[in-house]
Amino acid sequence: MADERKLRILIAKPGLDGHDRGARVIARAFRDAGFEVIYTGCHQTPEQIVSTAIQEDVDLIGLSILSGAHRYSFPRIMELLKENNAEDITVIGGGIFPLEDIPKLKAIGIKEIFEPGAKLEDIVQWVRTHVKPRKAMVA
Amino acid sequence: MSVAQRILAGDVRAVARLLRDIDDQIPSARNILKELYPHTGRAYILGFTGSPGVGKSTLVDQMAMEYRKQGLTVGILAIDPTSPFTGGAILGDRIRMQRHFLDDGVFIRSLATRGHFGGLTKSTHDMITVLDAMGKDIIMVETVGVGQDEVDIANCAHTTVLVTIPGMGDEVQAIKAGIMEIGNIFVVNKADREGSRKTVRELRNLIELGLRRTGDEQWEPPIIETEALKGKGITELMDAVERHRQYLLENDRSQWEAVSQKRAKTQLLETLREEALAELLRRMGKRGQSLDDLVRKVAERQTDPYSVVQDLLQCELR
């Protein structure tokens, strides 16, 4: 009588800026979509984010950024996921990004970038379409 | 290496994924638990309960740091509520535990209640088994912070810490049945707030009135004042936990055995209840009997729940 598998999502804010309203809004939207959202608040290092994602066994990491720190933190997070054999975790970003950075981020494996003005229902729909709860460890 | 071997070797990725499978009630997780169970029984289990906002996560965070200083490893299960409307949850207790995120000696897992009542999740006992098997010395369980009746933790932990703050309630709250009866240790957190002494006094009266857990007359629950954010009172709380552990172990370990029996009984009965129901529903399905059908008949008063259950059990348990 297995329950339906729940999608687990980590919402994290890498870097030094302390504005997490956007992150909290998206966390709430994911909650309302029926997902389990782990929210860690501001000021996270890439190491902390990846360690949390692994301990919590999430399917998706959503990174919220306003400060420009993505140029350092996003590649570092992707590296650390690889080092920990956790590349199966999908990573998306939201916030403010210079247009020219977006292709670069996608090239390192960030699956999608949502800019200000993106509709919450579109983001939720994207997640439903692209991220499936992982399979059981032993069939 | 098998999954069980990876867990016993402390492989964090394997532990994290097994916890997920347990929470999702994947049947294969049971087989791994069977392999792990003989390797458990070593960890000390500490439960924290009390209303939302009293500072349970901060206390757990401070104590985890102290245990790490003593060279002990720590597992933390932090439970938050699931939305009854959407099935979703926001799990935010880690915010107050960030300094452990890079410490290999601390494993933190956030859990959502998923409709389970009593302060824990359906999966909590099994998850403790996994953290115990992976070698954690201390396992701290932070219950979902609601209600007056979330007393399951007392059947799960060696020591239950009941956390309150000044001004939470009056004398009537203090003599109601339920949560006030399960504390082995009482903490008055945010003790710098007005009314702290009064709260301590009320708790002391309550304890002296003999409203403590039955069969536990030897242990007088201590009341510890803390300011968790500043780390004040944590040493005293750690001492109280150690005294309670010693108390369980003294006199031929009779109290210790009693706690072990209680934990085993709860886990056994919960597993039985869950598996028996699953098996019953499976057998009904096999015979082409639909639960929805029975539900409809009961709702329309064509029959009643008591007769349905009686029939089902007579039919399936022969």
Side-chain angles (χ1 to χ4, degrees):
Chain A
M1 197 183 52
D3 285 1
E4 166 200 2
R5 301 220 79 171
K6 287 264 184 201
L7 205 62
R8 281 170 69 88
I9 296 177
L10 173 64
I11 297 291
K13 265 193 79 70
L16 291 176
D17 87 86
H19 301 91
D20 67 342
R21 189 201 295 225
R24 280 185 280 135
V25 168
I26 194 69
R28 171 72 194 257
F30 283 153
R31 185 202 87 171
D32 289 345
F35 308 148
E36 286 184 356
V37 183
I38 292 98
Y39 185 57
T40 55
C42 302
H43 312 310
Q44 298 281 296
T45 64
E47 287 78 9
Q48 287 175 321
I49 290 168
V50 170
S51 160
T52 300
I54 288 172
Q55 289 190 3
E56 297 286 355
D57 196 42
V58 298
D59 305 293
L60 173 77
I61 302 175
L63 299 167
S64 165
I65 282 264
L66 299 173
S67 63
H70 61 278
R71 287 185 186 165
Y72 159 74
S73 61
F74 281 36
R76 182 75 187 126
I77 285 165
M78 300 312 283
E79 259 172 49
L80 286 166
L81 285 173
K82 202 170 276 177
E83 277 172 29
N84 287 282
N85 297 319
E87 303 120 291
D88 54 330
I89 299 174
T90 306
V91 183
I92 59 175
I96 296 171
F97 301 89
L99 279 181
E100 69 266 25
D101 285 356
I102 292 176
K104 291 181 203 159
L105 293 174
K106 290 197 172 166
I108 60 166
I110 310 287
K111 283 288 178 328
E112 193 57 272
I113 296 288
F114 295 97
E115 293 186 82
K119 284 204 183 92
L120 287 175
E121 56 262 41
D122 292 345
I123 302 175
V124 168
Q125 195 47 50
W126 186 94
V127 171
R128 284 196 200 286
T129 313
H130 292 86
V131 188
K132 298 291 170 222
R134 74 173 79 255
K135 298 259 189 305
M137 196 157 36
V138 182
Chain B
M1 240 201 282
S2 76
V3 176
Q5 285 167 332
R6 285 171 64 196
I7 306 277
L8 292 170
D11 178 336
V12 171
R13 191 92 219 266
V15 168
R17 300 207 48 192
L18 178 59
L19 295 183
R20 174 86 175 267
D21 288 353
I22 292 169
D23 216 12
D24 289 346
Q25 296 183 268
I26 305 296
S28 59
R30 281 271 151 82
N31 295 327
I32 302 167
L33 284 167
K34 282 183 204 167
E35 281 183 67
L36 295 178
Y37 199 81
H39 300 275
T40 61
R42 217 181 47 84
Y44 197 78
I45 299 143
L46 264 173
F48 292 80
T49 186
S51 306
V54 295
K56 295 186 293 296
S57 302
T58 311
L59 276 170
V60 167
D61 171 62
Q62 294 280 7
M63 288 185 75
M65 194 178 68
E66 292 301 319
Y67 281 124
R68 291 298 293 139
K69 281 188 194 159
Q70 296 176 11
L72 298 170
T73 56
V74 176
I76 297 171
L77 298 173
I79 305 169
D80 268 326
T82 291
S83 160
F85 301 109
T86 67
I90 300 226
L91 311 174
D93 290 328
R94 291 184 79 104
I95 289 181
R96 285 168 280 270
M97 303 176 186
Q98 299 203 5
R99 57 183 154 182
H100 307 297
F101 288 5
L102 294 179
D103 178 356
D104 288 342
V106 180
F107 182 98
I108 307 171
R109 182 55 165 252
S110 313
L111 298 173
T113 53
R114 298 190 180 184
H116 189 82
F117 296 109
L120 304 181
T121 69
K122 230 179 193 174
S123 53
T124 304
H125 277 276
D126 294 339
M127 293 203 170
I128 289 172
T129 298
V130 178
L131 296 182
D132 191 343
M134 88 180 283
K136 293 299 181 220
D137 299 306
I138 305 285
I139 297 170
M140 296 200 263
V141 181
E142 182 189 335
T143 68
V144 62
V146 289
Q148 300 174 306
D149 205 19
E150 43 143 32
V151 294
D152 283 359
I153 188 66
N155 293 323
C156 192
H158 293 106
T159 301
T160 300
V161 180
L162 187 112
V163 189
T164 185
I165 52 172
M168 276 294 283
D170 54 22
E171 288 83 351
V172 179
Q173 293 299 335
I175 56 171
K176 282 185 186 171
I179 195 157
M180 300 303 288
E181 294 174 278
I182 64 163
N184 304 118
I185 296 172
F186 288 82
V187 166
V188 178
N189 192 31
K190 307 187 188 182
D192 51 331
R193 288 193 181 180
E194 197 189 321
S196 180
R197 305 266 46 171
K198 181 165 178 274
T199 303
V200 171
R201 234 177 8 249
E202 282 171 7
L203 285 174
R204 183 149 292 137
N205 286 340
L206 161 74
I207 291 163
E208 280 166 11
L209 274 169
L211 281 169
R212 58 186 92 130
R213 282 194 308 158
T214 44
D216 223 7
E217 283 89 12
Q218 310 299 314
W219 174 257
E220 177 131 349
I223 304 163
I224 315 287
E225 288 178 88
T226 59
E227 290 172 49
L229 269 178
K230 296 184 196 147
K232 279 193 192 171
I234 302 302
T235 315
E236 289 79 357
L237 177 53
M238 305 275 292
D239 289 348
V241 170
E242 180 54 26
R243 281 204 307 281
H244 188 247
R245 194 179 72 90
Q246 290 300 336
Y247 157 74
L248 294 179
L249 288 169
E250 71 195 15
N251 299 329
D252 299 332
R253 300 164 60 97
S254 60
Q255 295 291 343
W256 182 269
E257 305 295 333
V259 172
S260 303
Q261 299 265 340
K262 188 170 64 177
R263 298 191 63 237
K265 186 177 177 184
T266 308
Q267 191 164 16
L268 181 60
L269 285 179
E270 276 181 12
T271 309
L272 177 63
R273 193 175 294 131
E274 206 176 291
E275 294 282 295
L277 178 61
E279 178 62 21
L280 193 69
L281 291 173
R282 202 180 58 78
R283 289 190 191 181
M284 275 171 63
K286 249 186 173 170
R287 288 193 294 108
Q289 195 171 28
S290 127
L291 182 67
D292 290 346
D293 246 13
L294 293 173
V295 168
R296 192 178 43 77
K297 282 182 186 149
V298 171
E300 290 170 358
R301 302 299 189 273
Q302 289 176 34
T303 179
D304 62 87
Y306 321 103
S307 310
V308 171
V309 168
Q310 199 174 8
D311 290 351
L312 277 176
L313 290 181
Q314 265 166 12
C315 176
E316 302 295 356
L317 287 185
R318 260 181 322 183

